[in-house]
Amino acid sequence: MASTAQPTTLTDIEREVIAFFVGAVQALGLPKSLGEIYGLLYISPEPLSMDEIMTRLQISLGSASQGLKQLRSFNAVRTAYKPGQRRDYYEAETEMRKLLGNFLREQMRPHLEAGKERLDHLEELMSASPDIAPTQRQRIQKLQSWNQHADRLLPMLNLFLRS
Amino acid sequence: MASTAQPTTLTDIEREVIAFFVGAVQALGLPKSLGEIYGLLYISPEPLSMDEIMTRLQISLGSASQGLKQLRSFNAVRTAYKPGQRRDYYEAETEMRKLLGNFLREQMRPHLEAGKERLDHLEELMSASPDIAPTQRQRIQKLQSWNQHADRLLPMLNLFLRS
DNA sequence: TGACATTTTCATTTTATTTTGAAATAAGTT
DNA sequence: AACTTATTTCAAAATAAAATGAAAATGTCA
């Protein structure tokens, strides 16, 4: 029964919370293991050591280490200081706003910037090609104007997350 | 030079537009070939046949067919009727609003729904476990309340796309 | 410092995704 | 109908991504 679960066993509830986050990270195109680790930490009342994460999720040392690293990289997880303890303990950032905000900042922005550079380059190419088809010119302009919209999107999302 | 490109060759501009969309679809976790096909159609002044898509992008028959299928599935591409022509011609939906709107509807919604079901299930599990740790109960409630926020996000994005 | 515990790194293996192309299907023409 | 052209499907191959675990690096304590 769930109430006397072994340390290496997950309760139904834990399993379901983990599944929830696995689905979420997969929707964002991130590896499943990130969802597992985050989910476990999210539902855990206490910070967990890497060792506990490994045994409870049945994942390898490397996965655990790399997963935690990535999760810390966008502040989804932080190390919790436990006095007199040698090993590190990890806990989840449970504030969804911060979580999503950080994620957008770290993962989306680079793509947007890369896109902007490409559009700048297109601008140059277009000036250098006076013979370009009018339709093509229009389409590129459309892209450029839309990119400016996109710039407003991120701030707006942040506003939403603050609400 | 670019201005005298062979039919099977891409101009610098075309290449750059395609690269732009490849980046975009990859940011969304979709296969590169979708970006290539869409990009080519986007910058093409005329609808293209599958054959032209294959030869210009140097991709296989299967990729072209499957890629177009997927792109049509969320209305990023449609077939353009050309009278008296045997083969199908494809053109891009150039309205970014529709494009993004369709994408969110098709790809995001299912994930959100799956998440909602999981949360409902958690609700049940929680009622069945009176002995659950208070922290865990709180965390699950947090998840549920946040999920309601998420419901408001999609409509808001649509609003934005309309602006 | 030396012994031990813990975490990180990284080459290899495993797994999952994407692409390919040949065969099957469909659609049009004579 | 037979023939041709175009498209879809799908099993196999190629590629890409993720997980593994042993070795290296780092950190801690006596």
Side-chain angles (χ1 to χ4, degrees):
Chain A
M1 65 245 12
S3 56
T4 53
Q6 312 295 298
T8 60
T9 290
L10 297 169
T11 65
D12 288 350
I13 286 180
E14 288 168 331
R15 243 191 300 276
E16 195 69 7
V17 169
I18 291 168
F20 177 86
F21 284 108
V22 166
V25 301
Q26 296 203 130
L28 298 171
L30 299 175
K32 188 180 147 195
S33 60
L34 288 195
E36 295 177 319
I37 298 171
Y38 180 83
L40 176 61
L41 291 175
Y42 181 89
I43 196 57
S44 170
E46 296 295 329
L48 299 178
S49 70
M50 204 167 89
D51 188 59
E52 292 169 306
I53 294 169
M54 282 170 60
T55 53
R56 301 200 67 196
L57 292 176
Q58 310 262 58
I59 62 176
S60 72
L61 189 64
S63 271
S65 174
Q66 291 186 167
L68 285 168
K69 183 182 179 181
Q70 209 172 337
L71 286 168
R72 275 174 303 179
S73 84
F74 45 86
N75 298 311
V77 160
R78 56 174 167 268
T79 59
Y81 188 65
K82 273 208 174 181
Q85 286 290 308
R86 194 146 164 175
R87 49 179 71 180
D88 291 336
Y89 283 80
Y90 303 92
E91 66 183 359
E93 166 64 68
T94 62
E95 213 55 58
M96 293 293 152
R97 293 166 190 187
K98 291 187 191 172
L99 208 55
L100 249 186
N102 290 336
F103 175 78
L104 290 175
R105 230 190 323 291
E106 307 274 332
Q107 314 285 305
M108 283 319 210
R109 192 124 75 192
H111 284 285
L112 289 183
E113 311 244 315
K116 199 173 298 184
E117 283 193 24
R118 285 244 158 67
L119 291 181
D120 289 347
H121 187 204
L122 271 169
E123 188 69 49
E124 293 171 28
L125 289 176
M126 218 164 36
S127 334
S129 310
D131 56 335
I132 184 182
T135 317
Q136 292 193 324
R137 189 177 296 275
Q138 286 165 15
R139 297 258 167 101
I140 291 170
Q141 281 164 353
K142 204 168 190 173
L143 229 42
Q144 284 163 338
S145 91
W146 203 82
N147 192 60
Q148 291 166 352
H149 278 249
D151 271 347
R152 284 194 275 284
L153 182 59
L154 242 41
M156 204 179 83
L157 276 179
N158 277 328
L159 204 65
F160 172 77
L161 292 175
R162 212 169 309 287
S163 72
Chain B
M1 67 243 9
S3 56
T4 52
Q6 310 295 299
T8 61
T9 290
L10 297 169
T11 65
D12 287 349
I13 287 180
E14 287 169 332
R15 244 190 300 277
E16 196 68 8
V17 168
I18 290 168
F20 177 87
F21 284 108
V22 166
V25 301
Q26 296 203 128
L28 298 172
L30 299 175
K32 188 179 147 196
S33 60
L34 288 196
E36 295 178 318
I37 297 171
Y38 181 84
L40 176 61
L41 291 176
Y42 181 88
I43 196 56
S44 170
E46 296 295 329
L48 300 178
S49 69
M50 205 168 90
D51 187 59
E52 290 169 307
I53 293 170
M54 284 170 57
T55 54
R56 301 200 68 196
L57 293 176
Q58 311 262 57
I59 62 177
S60 71
L61 188 66
S63 271
S65 174
Q66 291 187 168
L68 285 168
K69 183 182 179 180
Q70 209 171 338
L71 286 168
R72 273 173 304 177
S73 85
F74 45 86
N75 297 312
V77 160
R78 58 175 164 268
T79 58
Y81 187 65
K82 272 207 175 182
Q85 286 289 309
R86 192 146 163 176
R87 50 178 71 177
D88 289 336
Y89 283 81
Y90 302 92
E91 67 185 357
E93 167 62 69
T94 62
E95 213 55 58
M96 293 294 151
R97 295 166 189 186
K98 290 187 192 173
L99 208 52
L100 250 185
N102 290 337
F103 176 78
L104 290 175
R105 228 190 324 290
E106 308 274 332
Q107 314 285 303
M108 285 317 211
R109 191 124 75 193
H111 283 285
L112 290 183
E113 312 243 315
K116 197 173 302 185
E117 283 193 24
R118 285 242 157 68
L119 290 181
D120 289 347
H121 187 204
L122 271 169
E123 187 69 49
E124 293 172 27
L125 289 176
M126 217 163 38
S127 334
S129 310
D131 55 335
I132 182 181
T135 317
Q136 293 193 324
R137 190 178 295 275
Q138 285 164 15
R139 298 258 166 101
I140 291 169
Q141 280 163 356
K142 205 168 190 172
L143 228 43
Q144 284 164 338
S145 91
W146 204 82
N147 192 62
Q148 291 166 353
H149 278 249
D151 272 348
R152 282 194 277 283
L153 182 59
L154 242 42
M156 203 178 83
L157 276 179
N158 277 329
L159 205 65
F160 172 79
L161 292 175
R162 213 170 309 287
S163 72

